[in-house]
Amino acid sequence: MKIVITGTSRGIGLAAAKKYCETGHEVIGLDVREAGFSHPNYRHLTADITGPLPEIPDVEVLVNNAGVQDGGREIEINLQGTIAVTERYAFQQAIRSVVFMASSSASNGAEFPLYAASKGGVVTYMKNTALRLAQYGATANSISAGGVYTELNQHIIDDPKLMEAVLNETLLHRWARPEEIAELCYYLTNVNRSMTGQDILIDNGEQLKSNFIW
């Protein structure tokens, strides 16, 4: 199938691009940076999701992954850019599935204010997308990850005390690997046919953790 993934130069987007390529799909990556890898099934397009988007006909799977954590452009990039990409590529006869990378912040409001607001908006827009994609028999879902071992979190990963403190906030005392998120993304787009309009929380039990006092 023809897969379009945004933000493929590193982290979750890169892991997803590799997963789809390795399973035999044609992958087109969009990123403001240069390609993070090469593969016969991969084509990289340098593009900003908040600007002009390239012509890519007959997209079958769209993975909205590109985003930023801070810097003041969270709403513009994470929400408005994601909406622009989806409106550009998703609503046509070939589409089978759309996945949005949201965040656990979308449901608990944690982290930076603009980031949390942008990801909450992504989840709501995902539901709107699911409603409108139903006419094509296509699904739309979102993945809300907690901590993930990516370059964006390198300052935490490189600090043993800080890393231990954040791991202690989870039930399983771990973070997810980008490859785990990529596997879930693949399932939602290429295996799942019946789940749509859902936000999947994958945070190692961070939101569930509590200390019961009687």
Side-chain angles (χ1 to χ4, degrees):
M1 292 196 293
K2 181 183 287 187
I3 320 290
V4 169
I5 306 173
T6 65
T8 51
S9 290
R10 60 183 182 178
I12 294 171
L14 176 58
K18 290 179 177 179
K19 172 66 179 180
Y20 285 99
C21 283
E22 290 165 359
T23 48
H25 299 285
E26 174 191 358
V27 178
I28 301 166
L30 303 182
D31 203 305
V32 294
R33 302 174 184 84
E34 295 299 318
F37 82 122
S38 62
H39 190 280
N41 294 343
Y42 182 73
R43 178 160 60 103
H44 189 83
L45 301 177
T46 303
D48 186 333
I49 63 171
T50 65
L53 294 168
E55 178 70 23
I56 308 174
D58 301 325
V59 174
E60 294 171 270
V61 169
L62 173 61
V63 179
N64 283 300
N65 169 74
V68 295
Q69 284 184 320
D70 57 5
R73 297 184 64 202
E74 294 92 327
I75 301 296
E76 179 188 3
I77 296 173
N78 298 354
L79 182 54
Q80 293 176 320
T82 293
I83 290 173
V85 169
T86 306
E87 297 296 328
R88 174 78 157 135
Y89 301 124
F91 297 99
Q92 39 78 29
Q93 291 295 329
I95 195 68
R96 288 189 56 182
S97 185
V98 179
V99 165
F100 299 82
M101 292 300 167
S103 169
S104 60
S105 300
S107 56
N108 67 8
E111 295 188 67
F112 310 105
L114 288 177
Y115 179 77
S118 71
K119 293 301 187 177
V122 165
V123 171
T124 301
Y125 176 70
M126 173 274 292
K127 294 177 182 295
N128 177 270
T129 300
L131 288 168
R132 292 190 289 146
L133 283 184
Q135 64 177 308
Y136 305 108
T139 62
N141 296 285
S142 57
I143 297 173
S144 280
V148 182
Y149 287 103
T150 68
E151 293 89 336
L152 289 176
N153 294 316
Q154 200 64 48
H155 66 290
I156 298 174
I157 298 167
D158 290 341
D159 185 327
K161 289 185 178 180
L162 196 57
M163 190 73 236
E164 182 64 16
V166 297
L167 292 180
N168 285 338
E169 294 299 311
T170 72
L171 282 179
L172 300 180
H173 200 261
R174 69 183 300 276
W175 272 6
R177 296 176 293 105
E179 292 76 16
E180 291 179 72
I181 310 300
E183 289 285 347
L184 177 56
C185 182
Y186 185 86
Y187 170 81
L188 289 174
T189 60
N190 288 43
V191 179
N192 164 61
R193 300 307 303 153
S194 301
M195 179 169 57
T196 193
Q198 302 302 307
D199 181 53
I200 312 302
L201 180 65
I202 174 170
D203 71 343
N204 284 290
E206 184 173 350
Q207 287 193 34
L208 181 62
K209 185 175 182 180
S210 62
N211 295 311
F212 179 68
I213 300 172
W214 184 255

